[in-house]
Structure formats: C-alpha cells, structure tokens
Amino acid sequence: MRSAPHRPVGPDYTGWLPGVDDLCYGGDYNPEQWPEEVWEQDVTLMREAGVNLVSVGIFSWALLEPREGELDLGWLDRLLDLLHGHGIKVDLGTPTASPPAWFFHTYPDARVVTRDGTVLGFGSRGMASPSHPAYREAAVRITTALAERYGDHPAVVLWHVHNEYGAPVSEDYSPASATAFRRWLRERHGSLDALNAAWGTRFWGQVYGEWEHVGVPAAAPSIVNPAQRLDFARFTDDALLACFVAERDAIRAHSDRPVTTNFMAAACPATDLWKWGREVDIVSNDHYLTAADPRNQVGLALAADLTRSVAGGKPWMLLEHSTSGVNWQERNVAKRPGEMARNALSHLGRGADAIMFFQWRASRSGAEKFHSAMLPHAGTSSRVWREVVELGETLRGVREVRGARVHADVAILWDQESFWAQDLEWRPSVDARHRERVDAFYDRLWRDGLTTDFAHPEQDLSPYRLVVAPASYLLTADAAANLTRYVESGGTLLVSFFSAVVDEHDAVHPGGFLGPLRRALGVAVEEFLPLRAGETLGVRFEAAPGTDGAGRVDTPGTGAVVRGDVWADDLALEGADVVGRFVGGPADGAPAVTRHRLGAGTGWYVSTRLDVDALATLLAPVYDDAGLAPSGLATDVEVVRRHADDAQYVVALNHSDAEQKVPDLPDGTVDLVSGDRVVGAATIPPAGFRVLRSPAR
Ligand code: GLA
C-alpha cells in the first residue's frame, strides 16, 4: 500500500510532549516585536490565562543571523530562560519560512519564479526556492545552530520547523527548480523512454530526445501536458518535504525533542499530507474559519478530522487558530461570544490535545496588525481577553480528555494526487470540482452526526462501515483493487461521478471511465453528459432489492424526486440494480443511482451532483446497507466523542441561539467543567458547550 497514515520515523512520542502532563494552551509568541520590558508583563498574563506552551522564533531569522554566518542568540537565550522561569514550555521555531534580506541579496537566483516568469521579490515573507542549494544550506545551518544551542534547553519540548510549508507559494519555476525537476524525473521514470510513455508525449509532438530538453511546465501557448504538470506538483511537494526532512534531521543530531511542522489541512493544495504525516513526530495543524461561510464550523470540523486521520488517529496539536477575526480575508468577521470556545472544543473533540492561537499579543506594526490575538490591542479589559482566560480554565477542567481517541464508522477518500490532476485544465466541466463534492458529502455526514475519518484510497479500509469516494478522479489500479476488496468483504462503498477516470499518469483507464471499479459497482460509464450552467434535472428514487437479493423491499426515500445539476453519465448496467432514474436532462429515464451487491458488501454509484439536502435521500438507503443511522440531533448541535479505556468524553457544542439537548446519556455521566452529575439528558446553553464524561461503553 502506498500511503499509510502517521507512522513517525523517529522516536515514538506517543507519550505526548516530554515533561508535559496536560493539554497544551497558548500561541505564537513574537516578543521580538516588543521592548523587553513588555516580556515580563507577557509572562505574567500568560500565567493568568493558563498558557503553558508558546511557539517562538518562527519568523526571527533576520534577528538570529543578522549577517550571513553571524549569530545573535542573546535575546533568545533571555527569552527562553524567562519562559522557563515561569513554567511556560516552548515550541521552538526554525525561522526558515522567511529568509533575511541579506540572503536574497547574496543569492538573487534563489528567489521563487512563478509560472508566468515573475521573479518574487523581498519585503514580504515566504519561501526561497526550495530546490536552491544555497537556501537548503542556509536553512540547515541556522537550524543546526539553534538545535546545538537549545537542543536540551529545559523549556523546549517541541521543535516547530518552518511555517506552513506550501504557503504563501509552493511551485517554483526558477532555473534551480528546473535542474532539480529533471533529477527527480530521472529517479521517478528511470529513462526518457519511460518518461515519454508516462507523459504520452506522442500527443502534440512533445517527444523528448534529451533530458536537458525537459523543463518545468511554465506558461506555454496552449495548455501544458497534464501528466507533466501532475509530476511537477508531485516534485514540488517532494522538494518542500525534502527541506523539512533536512531541517528535522539537523535537529535530531542535537536534540531528542519531538519535531513537527504546522500543516494547513484541507487548505493547502501543495502538500500531500499522507506523506508528510509519516515524517513528523507529532502531527500539528493550523486552521482559520472561512468568514464568508455562516456555517463555517463544518469546514473547521472537516479540517480537524482530516488532521486526526493524517495522525493515524493519534492526538494532534492545533498550533494556530484565531481568537476572533483574521486580517487576510475580504471581510474579516469577528467571532461572536462563545464562538472561540466552541471552535477550540470542536478541535479538542476531534482529537486535538493542544489548543493554540496565532498569536499571543496583537502586533502594532506590519501586515497582521488587524489580526485578532489572545491579548488584543484593547488589552485585558476586553471580551476577547476574558474569553481567553475562561478557555484556559475550561481546558484545565477537561484535561483528563488528553490521549483519548476518536472513533469513526465512516471514511471519506482523500487523495491529493487526484485533486492535483482534477484541477488541471480542459476537464469535461468546470463545475465538477473535487473540493465541492468532498465538502457536500462531509456536510451531510456532519449534519447526520456521523463522525468521519479521511482515508487514502490505498489504505486499509476495513475499520469502516461506509466509505465515500466523492472525488476520486485519479484512482490507481491498486486503489481500485483495494476498494473492490473492501466491498467484497462486507463494506459499503459510495462512489460519486467523475471517479476512476485516469491512472497515475492522468491517462484514461483501459476499459474506459470507471474502468477499474466496474466490478465493485456493476456499472460502466459510456459517456459523460455534463450539463449547461444552471441546468438541472431530477432523480427519482426507486425501491432497491432486499439485501438477501430476493424480491424488492421499500428502501428509505423510495418515490422521492430530488434535483441534481452539473453532471449526468450515460451508464451501462453490468449487474447493478437501478435505485434512481433521471427525470429530464440528457439521460432522461436512464439510471442515475445504482446499487450492486458484490461478495458480502455493496457498491453504490451516483452520477449527478446532489446538494446536501438531496444527499439525505441518497444516503438513507446507503446508511441502511452500512448499518448506520443519523444521530437525530438538531442540525446546529455538534456532538463528538473521545474514548479512553474507562470513559468516553462527550463534547457537545450548540451553534444555535436556542437551548439544545443531548439525550440518552448513560448513568454516571458528569460535567467535567462544573463537576455536576448529569441525568438522562444534558442541556447545552445557547451558543454554548458541555464537555461530559460518561462510563465507557
Ligand atoms: C498563518 C501563519 C501565521 C499567521 C496566520 C494569520 O497561519 O502561519 O504566521 O500569518 O496565518 O492568520
């Protein structure tokens, strides 16, 4: 199997951060922006807020190495000692996300070049070319200096390499990148013949006769070879990951503390987190709400569930979120009272054992002065500060949750390579967007109260009752075989349109669209029938056969007609039963939803885009097959559970303005914050939360 979830290659840090017996609470701390007198006030206030961990030095390269090879670590010595003196642990950054001015002056050809040839300048922050030898060398040098000096500092419990690899830029079209890309291609393909075959270069006369003629897929007269672009996305990810590994190994030579780098799960298209998860000691993530989305708690939950899945189910760290509004969206909506705590506790309920923010104290100058902070410009008399202090108290109250695991019966397939490929140009419809489908299916599951993992299509899927493939455009033969085995051995698989179309080279599968999944689904796609913009059609649900194969039984949703758009397929049945037929549209009367029994399981296929409400009709019989049922809770109530050997922890969040209830709590349930016993049902105050301990089931 290609990608298994989190398996650190270094020491096993299942015991959490060394010397930390608590949930972590804190944020990025950038005291170099302030006179040192302010530091004393900072640590006093940190104690008041219950802060026990801060991330330090992430953007400090220019101060730590003011001239090439000249170090000035005095201020960092004083800072770490001060924090240590106040019992605050440190997540020590390597500052390599923002090389100093001298670096770009000395190595101008290490600047990133965009696809259209723009050379990116200094004066902001951001990567140098990840493939430029001078950048790699300078990054490892400053990292080594920090690891030598602070590798066993008593305050340092974690290393924070770089910052959000892949942002703000990832792809680099510079000459250094082109050289490295050719090297990478030689390793991947072995020979030019193999490369020509994989890229299908006979099309449009692109056959290469010399390695030196192969270049980066920069802007060209028409669209660039999609297989070349897909390989470039893989190469870019590998180049970034190589930078991380180089720094991580430099740290490991001098320090036995765990190493992480903060991911942007579900928000950074450049990184294949299944790969990255294997290289870090502890998985960590940053998450910011999409202000424009009034139900952005669902996107938050998705990112948290993806992070936990990348961590292989182990506890992970939320290294950044915001106390209120950010500063980089179009309209930076402030969080309303209680929202910050609910956000933090949703992450906690979904497996985070660290709740951290960007940043501790709001910056007076620079690009992020309008970003919220734990200590806002308004100071300690503000609502945000009071809620920060309250959240610190809450986390102390619920600290026994640390280490408990989340269990999910459902997995959504997530494969970055497939997303890279689907995002390229000249696909059958611009409306067939992978992220939109992932979000819609996830939202349905969220509303139905079903906790969801994400899974790579080649990983072991046997723990799940239901696997959803909302957007598996690129599906390797191995992945399809894995999914087919999953169905045969009793799983329920639901595949959405425009899946299993191409192989790892973006070449259409032999046997046509859906080719390698035909056995699992009992259906083939003869032709795509994309709809015009705004065009809709209906899907009428029919009774599916009984699970014993005998006679027809009423399935949930029978007779319902729902609306679809964007897509239809011309389907050829190869053993599947028709559960839904098109009403109108280019395939009027033809199969739209199919169900196929294979071995002990069932393979479902849906060939149009259903919105989140219509998905309820589709999923009712699918849940039936999988032995699942919606929780029945109100739509604005979010309940997630973490399980320990002797207890289960129920995190219940009320995203509405009315009081809500969580019913059917077992005897012996206790509110972890108030200590009160809860009998039968727990009420959740408007916009509020409860964290409960129940006996293990
Ligand atoms: C990112 C970065 C931080 C900060 C925040 C602002 O997550 O890692 O340095 O810029 O965004 O939201």
Side-chain angles (χ1 to χ4, degrees):
M1 283 184 197
R2 191 178 51 169
S3 291
H6 182 230
R7 195 164 13 87
V9 292
D12 184 4
Y13 291 103
T14 47
W16 198 223
L17 305 180
V20 178
D21 182 24
D22 228 325
L23 296 168
C24 293
Y25 186 50
D28 283 16
Y29 181 35
N30 299 306
E32 63 270 37
Q33 298 173 13
W34 298 86
E36 292 198 19
E37 307 85 82
V38 178
W39 300 4
E40 285 288 343
Q41 191 199 10
D42 281 334
V43 288
T44 306
L45 289 174
M46 282 178 191
R47 302 277 308 188
E48 189 181 322
V51 165
N52 59 8
L53 180 70
V54 288
S55 305
V56 164
I58 299 170
F59 292 103
S60 309
W61 195 345
L63 290 179
L64 295 169
E65 191 179 0
R67 272 163 294 279
E68 185 165 16
E70 233 177 74
L71 295 178
D72 177 7
L73 306 183
W75 67 272
L76 191 52
D77 289 350
R78 293 193 292 284
L79 179 69
L80 295 194
D81 292 347
L82 176 72
L83 290 164
H84 181 57
H86 286 78
I88 296 161
K89 301 291 187 194
V90 171
D91 164 29
L92 186 55
T94 70
T96 53
S98 200
W102 60 254
F103 176 83
F104 292 102
H105 180 79
T106 313
Y107 307 102
D109 54 348
R111 287 178 293 173
V112 168
V113 177
T114 63
R115 192 157 183 250
D116 64 3
T118 307
V119 181
L120 299 181
F122 184 71
S124 175
R125 68 170 163 187
M127 271 307 278
S129 164
S131 303
H132 198 287
Y135 172 70
R136 294 256 182 121
E137 209 176 287
V140 167
R141 196 176 59 229
I142 184 69
T143 299
T144 302
L146 292 170
E148 277 173 352
R149 178 92 146 212
Y150 305 112
D152 56 6
H153 192 287
V156 175
V157 293
L158 178 67
W159 287 94
H160 180 301
V161 169
H162 199 88
N163 191 65
E164 296 185 337
Y165 276 102
V169 287
S170 50
E171 291 190 336
D172 169 35
Y173 293 80
S174 69
S177 188
T179 305
F181 184 44
R182 275 191 288 275
R183 206 166 38 236
W184 184 93
L185 289 169
R186 273 175 191 262
E187 260 175 46
R188 182 174 173 87
H189 295 286
S191 69
L192 263 189
D193 283 350
L195 177 133
N196 279 314
W199 287 7
T201 51
R202 283 166 183 252
F203 184 81
W204 278 1
Q206 295 168 359
V207 176
Y208 293 101
E210 300 293 334
W211 279 105
E212 290 63 43
H213 300 170
V214 183
V216 291
S222 182
I223 76 160
V224 171
N225 185 318
Q228 180 182 1
R229 292 200 66 187
L230 179 57
D231 265 353
F232 192 64
R234 292 179 175 123
F235 155 77
T236 297
D237 189 27
D238 283 354
L240 295 170
L241 188 56
C243 290
F244 168 77
V245 167
E247 289 194 37
R248 180 203 63 196
D249 291 350
I251 292 168
R252 282 196 183 150
H254 302 283
S255 180
D256 63 358
R257 313 293 150 85
V259 182
T260 193
T261 182
N262 47 339
F263 296 157
M264 291 172 288
C268 177
T271 48
D272 176 357
L273 292 186
W274 299 119
K275 272 192 197 167
W276 286 76
R278 291 200 294 272
E279 301 295 342
V280 297
D281 293 322
I282 292 180
V283 166
S284 64
N285 196 47
D286 297 348
H287 182 265
Y288 292 95
L289 296 176
T290 304
D293 176 4
R295 292 181 64 250
N296 51 25
Q297 65 268 22
V298 181
L300 180 159
L302 185 157
D305 286 345
L306 177 59
T307 308
R308 179 189 66 253
S309 304
V310 166
K314 287 186 194 163
W316 53 277
M317 305 183 74
L318 177 69
L319 277 193
E320 291 180 26
H321 72 319
S322 65
T323 57
S324 190
V326 299
N327 65 303
W328 43 266
Q329 299 188 19
E330 287 194 344
R331 293 167 194 83
N332 296 295
V333 176
K335 292 191 183 179
R336 294 295 71 218
E339 193 175 353
M340 177 187 78
R342 292 199 310 279
N343 291 166
L345 292 174
S346 181
H347 287 292
L348 178 100
R350 294 171 192 281
D353 276 354
I355 301 297
M356 314 269 293
F357 293 95
F358 177 84
Q359 61 178 331
W360 162 252
R361 185 188 276 274
S363 304
R364 284 190 58 220
S365 310
E368 299 190 308
K369 54 183 166 292
F370 299 125
H371 197 290
S372 60
M374 298 176 85
L375 184 57
H377 292 297
T380 55
S381 58
S382 59
R383 174 186 66 81
V384 166
W385 172 255
R386 284 191 295 278
E387 290 197 23
V388 163
V389 174
E390 261 172 48
L391 180 58
E393 278 163 23
T394 301
L395 293 176
R396 279 198 297 284
V398 306
R399 62 200 293 268
E400 66 177 83
V401 172
R402 189 174 72 75
R405 300 294 185 99
V406 177
H407 172 82
D409 286 322
V410 186
I412 291 181
L413 296 185
W414 182 280
D415 181 1
Q416 202 65 53
E417 295 206 355
S418 178
F419 301 161
W420 288 331
Q422 188 174 341
D423 282 349
L424 296 172
E425 303 120 313
W426 288 12
R427 282 15 192 155
S429 170
V430 293
D431 299 323
R433 290 178 293 116
H434 66 81
R435 188 55 196 274
E436 183 281 330
R437 279 298 77 189
V438 171
D439 288 349
F441 278 94
Y442 182 87
D443 192 5
R444 186 66 260 158
L445 291 157
W446 190 98
R447 290 179 200 223
D448 290 341
L450 293 170
T451 304
T452 301
D453 277 351
F454 287 86
H456 189 277
E458 290 183 25
Q459 82 178 60
D460 176 18
L461 299 169
S462 61
Y464 303 109
R465 287 166 183 253
L466 171 63
V467 169
V468 182
S472 296
Y473 162 73
L474 181 161
L475 196 75
T476 62
D478 284 352
N482 189 41
L483 294 173
T484 306
R485 267 194 310 275
Y486 168 73
V487 174
E488 275 177 312
S489 44
T492 302
L493 172 69
L494 170 58
V495 177
S496 182
F497 64 90
F498 204 42
S499 284
V501 178
V502 297
D503 66 9
E504 58 271 39
H505 304 305
D506 198 50
V508 173
H509 280 297
F513 312 135
L514 210 57
L517 281 183
R518 280 159 69 170
R519 234 185 102 240
L521 302 177
V523 68
V525 171
E526 278 194 15
E527 194 179 6
F528 300 142
L529 307 172
L531 306 193
R532 296 193 168 81
E535 188 182 352
T536 62
L537 43 67
V539 175
R540 183 190 306 281
F541 280 81
E542 304 177 349
T547 41
D548 59 359
R552 294 176 81 86
V553 294
D554 273 354
T555 38
T558 299
V561 180
V562 297
R563 210 173 62 162
D565 59 8
V566 170
W567 198 270
D569 291 308
D570 196 353
L571 293 180
L573 297 177
E574 295 181 345
D577 295 301
V578 179
V579 179
R581 283 188 188 277
F582 284 115
V583 181
D588 187 24
V593 178
T594 59
R595 174 181 181 271
H596 182 53
R597 294 285 300 174
L598 179 71
T602 317
W604 288 77
Y605 183 71
V606 55
S607 71
T608 189
R609 196 186 80 104
L610 302 179
D611 68 15
V612 68
D613 292 324
L615 282 178
T617 308
L618 169 68
L619 278 165
V622 176
Y623 288 161
D624 238 27
D625 276 345
L628 296 168
S631 68
L633 290 169
T635 324
D636 290 328
V637 177
E638 178 180 352
V639 172
V640 267
R641 291 184 162 77
R642 291 180 65 168
H643 301 269
D645 288 345
D646 52 355
Q648 60 167 308
Y649 299 100
V650 182
V651 177
L653 310 170
N654 180 357
H655 299 291
S656 79
D657 292 334
E659 190 176 277
Q660 300 283 359
K661 276 198 170 19
V662 181
D664 303 326
L665 292 163
D667 288 350
T669 297
V670 175
D671 184 304
L672 280 186
V673 179
S674 66
D676 295 344
R677 289 185 47 187
V678 180
V679 182
T683 50
I684 332 174
F689 66 86
R690 302 288 292 270
V691 183
L692 310 167
R693 179 186 56 228
S694 294
R697 280 204 185 160

